[in-house]
Amino acid sequence: MRQKLLSLTGLCLTTMLLAGSGCPLIPSIEEKVVQLAAGASVILEFEADGIINDKGEKVVFDFGQELDLLDIIDDAGIDVEDVIEITLAGVSYRVTVPDPDPTRRIVDSSVTVGRLGDDPQAALVTAFSDDAGVAYDFRTAPLDAAGVAVVNSMLAEILADIQSNQNPTLAASATWSGRSEPASEDTDFTWELKVDITVVGEITVDAPE
């Protein structure tokens, strides 16, 4: 190895003497701060059953605990104090247990959301209609700006708790209302709403100049 290194050094000196140029320098390494994004989700389950086909169901959940943000931030290699923001990335839905009637549908439905006890809640998903007689994977839900703002406000509160070393808990609720068709028979299906969020933070990396 030393013989090869000396040979390369001699070659470089020879080239420098002949061409009047220096040897290539090894690039130096410096630390740079870059932004990193990580994702998390909360899944809310709704059940539709019975002969009443005008549906309304409230789901209560702890937004801070359901997200498990401390583990997500740690797994991403981000220090808690370096988290810049946590925001809503999107909402989707799927039917997990289809209705016995393959023609069953969810019609003119909406989902409102807010802190537990908020009255009224803010509309998050609106004009929602789709199949309920078959199971399928997540599909993108149409969002309302009012509900997006409320969710982002709750996420900012959760982030403030985390960065002040408090337990990130926030009691919230989501309410589904709408219809199920056909109306002439009992309803029996289960569907889920998935709330995706994005965590953005800063990390320090070594990079060549």
Side-chain angles (χ1 to χ4, degrees), residues 6-7 23 26 31 41 87-88 90 109 112 118 139 146 189:
L6 290 173
S7 298
C23 291
I26 298 174
E31 291 185 342
S41 301
T87 56
L88 178 67
S109 291
T112 58
D118 279 0
R139 298 174 179 175
F189 66 90

Side-chain angles (χ1 to χ4, degrees), residues 21 32 39 60 70 74 94 101 115 130 133 155 158 184 189:
S21 61
K32 290 186 178 181
V60 176
L70 289 174
D74 184 62
R94 68 178 177 183
D101 181 353
R115 293 169 178 80
D130 212 327
L155 291 172
I158 292 169
S184 59
F189 66 90

Side-chain angles (χ1 to χ4, degrees), residues 69-70 73 80 86 157-166 168:
L69 285 172
L70 289 174
I73 292 169
V80 170
I86 305 174
E157 186 175 326
I158 292 169
L159 175 58
D161 286 344
I162 292 174
Q163 293 183 328
S164 60
N165 295 318
Q166 297 184 46

Side-chain angles (χ1 to χ4, degrees), residues 93 105-109 126-131 136 139 142 179:
Y93 63 90
R105 287 183 59 79
I106 304 170
V107 181
D108 293 336
S109 291
T126 57
F128 163 47
S129 298
D130 212 327
D131 296 327
Y136 47 83
R139 298 174 179 175
R179 301 197 322 275

